[in-house]
Amino acid sequence: MLRKRQPSRRVSSDESGDPAAALAAAGSLLARRDYCSSELAARLVSRGFAPDTVQATLADLHARHYLDDARYARQFVDTHARRGHGPVLIRHELGERGLSPQLAEQSLADFGDWSALAREVRARRFGAQPPRSRSDKTRQARFLQYRGFSDDDIRGALGFDVTSDC
């Protein structure tokens, strides 16, 4: 039997400015999974902590290396690439989480060869043989585009050069 998850506890007005309580709440959240700074700040504010207390807590967590946006971005890119997502989709999701575009671009560049990943994702879904008909190419290109791959990566995965007609 599934148990209903308890709603997150809002802090009292006495605790809203308490740095120790904010640090304890942040530690509890970080024990479950990694967060980027903006996600963790939003969670803490939603629990009722004052914004200045949240900023002080984030600074403390950064100083202790418990919170690292670069590490979060690298792990996010790696995890989502293993799921078969492309750089366009991952870049968008990193932006939605409040990470800087420079950090997202650096993490995506550090990953490696996106064209090889697009070929692998295409082969897993459609088999090792390249598409033969125009409709197969179109269907597979749409699938890779939905997964977040760029046009160049899609062209490489489908086995035709940039100048060919598709």
Side-chain angles (χ1 to χ4, degrees):
M1 179 174 188
L2 293 174
R3 293 185 345 163
K4 193 172 184 180
R5 192 166 133 174
Q6 295 294 320
S8 61
R9 184 177 82 83
R10 289 197 47 91
V11 296
S12 66
S13 59
D14 297 337
E15 291 178 317
S16 69
D18 183 16
L23 190 60
S28 175
L29 288 168
L30 288 170
R32 292 185 197 109
R33 75 170 182 93
D34 211 7
Y35 286 89
C36 67
S37 298
S38 59
E39 282 181 315
L40 188 58
R43 288 280 182 130
L44 292 173
V45 168
S46 73
R47 286 191 176 190
F49 289 104
D52 56 338
T53 303
V54 169
Q55 291 306 317
T57 301
L58 293 180
D60 187 20
L61 291 170
H62 278 290
R64 295 179 189 201
H65 300 288
Y66 293 157
L67 191 61
D68 184 1
D69 286 345
R71 179 184 65 219
Y72 176 83
R74 284 191 307 272
Q75 289 174 346
F76 189 90
V77 168
D78 185 54
T79 300
H80 286 266
R82 279 189 276 122
R83 292 179 186 168
H85 297 165
V88 175
L89 178 64
I90 294 172
R91 181 181 301 112
H92 175 72
E93 289 185 8
L94 286 172
E96 282 185 340
R97 283 167 172 71
L99 291 170
S100 71
Q102 298 83 10
L103 187 58
E105 289 302 322
Q106 181 61 43
S107 299
L108 290 168
D110 290 346
F111 174 75
D113 189 9
W114 290 102
S115 294
L117 180 63
R119 284 190 296 276
E120 180 185 320
V121 169
R122 190 211 63 79
R124 273 191 308 212
R125 175 80 165 117
F126 298 105
Q129 294 296 326
R132 302 229 184 269
S133 68
R134 186 177 203 57
S135 64
D136 285 343
K137 282 184 181 180
T138 303
R139 185 168 51 95
Q140 292 180 21
R142 230 182 359 254
F143 170 76
L144 291 172
Q145 187 178 28
Y146 167 76
R147 285 303 199 93
F149 289 96
S150 69
D151 291 340
D152 292 337
D153 295 336
I154 293 170
R155 286 185 195 103
L158 295 178
F160 58 94
D161 63 6
V162 177
T163 60
S164 75
D165 171 20
C166 180

